[in-house]
Amino acid sequence: MIKVALPNKGMLFEPTQELLKACGYSAAKPYKTLTSVDTKNGIEFFFLRPSDIPMYVGRGIIDAGITGIDFNAEACSPAVKVLDLPYGASRLCAAVPNDSKYASLDELKNIRIATSFPGIVSKFYKKNDMQLVVLEGAVEISVSLGVSDAIVDVVETGTTLKQAGLRILGEPLFRSNAALFCHPDKQDLAEVHTLIRRIEGKLVAQAYMMIEYDVSAEILSKACELTPGLDAPTVSKLHGKDWYAVKAMVKQGDANQIMDRLWDIGCRSILLYAIKSARI
């Protein structure tokens, strides 16, 4: 049985729960404890602070875990990223008071900066002797309280910064998203491979749809050009007529346009449906 760490709260919590449930895992967070055992799949889940997960996985105390790339970078963890996940996107940005004189990121390296990511900030500026005020949360209020002159914090919409009278300065120092990490020595475990394959299959299913249609022999080649599939479309001859049934995977964002074009060239009985999971 492997040990897998999951976020216990925050913006990564619900998407991670939904993803694992869709992959067939029983990973619901218990009401009073921090662990949950999925005996059917041979996994014990641990619900931990996202910022603590890189330490546990990096030391091999826990085999794998889902957390933000920024948390792993901040911890300088040796945990290996094995799979990017399509949620938890964020930017680590610098912000200064609206009426401040600062116009570039370079001007901030010699002033007081409040942040929860001192490691990333120091690495960005290539300085270990910066005037950093390290806070666990509510970083945006530090300027108005006179603790700092600027901040570097995670930004999603920027609404909180505006409410605090701050403006974003320059480009993000770091971009992040959720990812699956693994201890370097645990990547070959069978249960870890299964976890990766299931998540990959779900991500493919979210990105693609299946399309089926009937097409005459005259326009079969033209139709297949519109639906090449991942490798090639599946083509079967219909009984008693010179028509064929075609099945192929198409990108979800293009699916309806492809459906329209197939109809326009003469294809009929066109069906479009979601894919629950896949192994490619």
Side-chain angles (χ1 to χ4, degrees), residues 8-31:
N8 66 344
K9 58 182 180 180
M11 68 175 183
L12 301 182
F13 175 73
E14 287 189 9
T16 299
Q17 289 285 298
E18 293 172 2
L19 175 63
L20 291 178
K21 182 179 179 180
C23 290
Y25 291 104
S26 177
K29 185 177 181 295
Y31 178 65

Side-chain angles (χ1 to χ4, degrees), residues 74 108-135 139 142 147-152 173:
E74 177 62 29
L108 305 186
K109 59 186 177 184
N110 295 316
I111 66 174
R112 297 175 301 168
I113 300 176
T115 185
S116 299
F117 294 87
I120 293 177
V121 175
S122 295
K123 186 175 182 180
F124 178 85
Y125 283 107
K126 297 180 174 61
K127 291 180 64 176
N128 295 319
D129 57 346
M130 296 186 68
Q131 301 179 58
L132 295 180
V133 180
V134 182
L135 301 174
V139 175
S142 63
V147 174
S148 67
D149 304 303
I151 70 167
V152 173
L173 281 70

